Amino acid sequence: AVTLQLWQIGGVVLFALSTVASIIVPAELSSSKGAEATAAARAAASRLLCWGVVLGALLGAAQLAALPLLGLFSTLPEVRRAAVAPSVLGAVLQLFNGVTFIGEGVMVGTQSFPALAAGQ
């Protein structure tokens, strides 16, 4: 349960960045016209995706760094050993969450709903 809560807290942080992406990218598209607007929006999306990767990696590293704290939640060695694998898996998935949530925010901001619904 602790592993899931740590993973969900990271997801909430990354989802907040998704909301930021859904605001910034359309703002860049509307700031100018033509190729300049497209270039500015792509640059903003690229920056946000980089931030998603960095933040996902940092959250994953923090979750891995918290592995020794599992002993605080149970005195049973079997429970502690069983909690390691989900914690590591959750930490790795934070990196994917960073990219996925930011990509979703960019797609929502550009109103790419059919592609988003199709999972592209």
Side-chain angles (χ1 to χ4, degrees):
V2 173
T3 299
L4 182 62
Q5 289 175 349
L6 285 173
W7 185 74
Q8 286 177 334
I9 288 172
V12 168
V13 169
L14 293 169
F15 191 68
L17 198 54
S18 167
T19 305
V20 171
S22 70
I23 295 168
I24 289 179
V25 173
E28 289 294 332
L29 279 173
S30 66
S31 66
S32 56
K33 295 182 181 179
E36 287 181 23
T38 304
R42 284 186 183 182
S46 294
R47 257 190 326 272
L48 287 164
L49 284 167
C50 288
W51 275 108
V53 169
V54 168
L55 195 53
L58 289 174
L59 288 167
Q63 192 164 347
L64 287 175
L67 279 175
L69 299 177
L70 288 174
L72 297 175
F73 299 100
S74 176
T75 57
L76 300 172
E78 297 86 10
V79 172
R80 283 189 253 155
R81 280 194 303 271
V84 170
S87 294
V88 171
L89 180 63
V92 171
L93 288 176
Q94 289 293 12
L95 183 62
F96 294 108
N97 286 346
V99 175
T100 302
F101 285 151
I102 301 305
E104 178 191 19
V106 169
M107 292 178 82
V108 167
T110 58
Q111 296 183 357
S112 302
F113 301 118
L116 189 58
Q120 297 177 354

